[in-house]
Amino acid sequence: MSTPRLALVTCADYPHLFEEDAPLIPALAERDIAAEAAVWDDPGVDWAAYDMVVIRSTWDYTARRREFIEWAGSVPRLVNPPNVVRWNTDKHYLQALEDHGLRVVQTTWLEPDRGYDKRALHNRFPAREDFVIKPAVSAGSVGAGRYTATDANSRRYAIEHAMRLLNEGHSVMVQRYMPQVDVHGEIALVYFHGTYSHAMKKAAELTDVGEVATADGFETEEMEVYKATPAEIEAGQAALAFARARIPGRSLSSRPLAYARVDMVPAGDGEPVLMEMELVDPRLHLPLGRQALGRFADSLAAELRMGPDAANIDLA
């Protein structure tokens, strides 16, 4: 019986994988799986030669999302699958989840085809609290800026920021800034096939009002070990199940995704609010979870054994 081949997909900036993912190769070798790095837009890669293809550090797709989605749709045995890639690479998924009743961070959406003038943008910003402006397709916090609603100069900078993004053709998110991020930090919970693995916490990134983040949000993301409460773990699992039933081509009868990261923050009443659900290429911060590397390798080995999930039908 031949050794299964697995591709760990990355981008040209990290042709040998991001440093945290590199140990996956020997971990999978211990499970009799031959894994290697492959760059998603390298025309020389024969994706059909692999028994399974796993997305990892493909962090340059945001400038070429359409191309990335087309690539995902062309790859056999892609993990996580093409329908998830299409749904999760545009943060409009948050609106879809909120429409169905999930508690997410309050967001106003600005679309580039609406022809907003400065007054119209001004009227769509919060009146009293800090808020964040960012593009709907972005990596990490790149392109995000924090502004103060009651400061005239800050509102002017926010208008300029939003107008610039709209003129470049981006959908724009205007989100209420959650002050609990400054106090508690934002927590991230990692799940493998729906089972909790480990959690991390990061401090507020947008600490300077008016400054727009330009650094690589994934590469510079700093986390510390966090002990999630049972309520937080359950909230993350519930959010994933809630989403699974609403991603086109998936349902609660489909198996949970091989890997997922759920970012949340407690609201004023203590209940968690979903900030983001990362199902495509999240940093999993495996060194921060005891035996997390082994759990991820086990998850991928199990995915390989189980074969294609019939519920992962691509409905494009």
Side-chain angles (χ1 to χ4, degrees), residues 110-156:
L110 307 174
E111 304 301 340
D113 60 355
R114 295 294 298 274
Y116 299 105
D117 58 21
K118 291 183 178 180
R119 178 177 294 276
L121 292 178
H122 173 84
N123 291 336
R124 283 163 174 78
F125 294 162
R128 294 182 178 84
E129 56 211 3
D130 280 13
F131 60 96
V132 174
I133 288 177
K134 60 185 176 182
V137 178
S138 64
S141 60
V142 175
R146 176 181 173 182
Y147 303 95
T148 300
T150 55
D151 182 275
N153 283 331
S154 191
R155 289 185 77 88
R156 177 167 59 83

Side-chain angles (χ1 to χ4, degrees), residues 24 63 69 73 82 141 152 158 161 169 202 281 284 294-295 310:
L24 271 173
I69 290 173
S141 60
H161 183 186
K202 63 179 176 180
D281 53 358
L284 300 175
R295 285 192 293 275

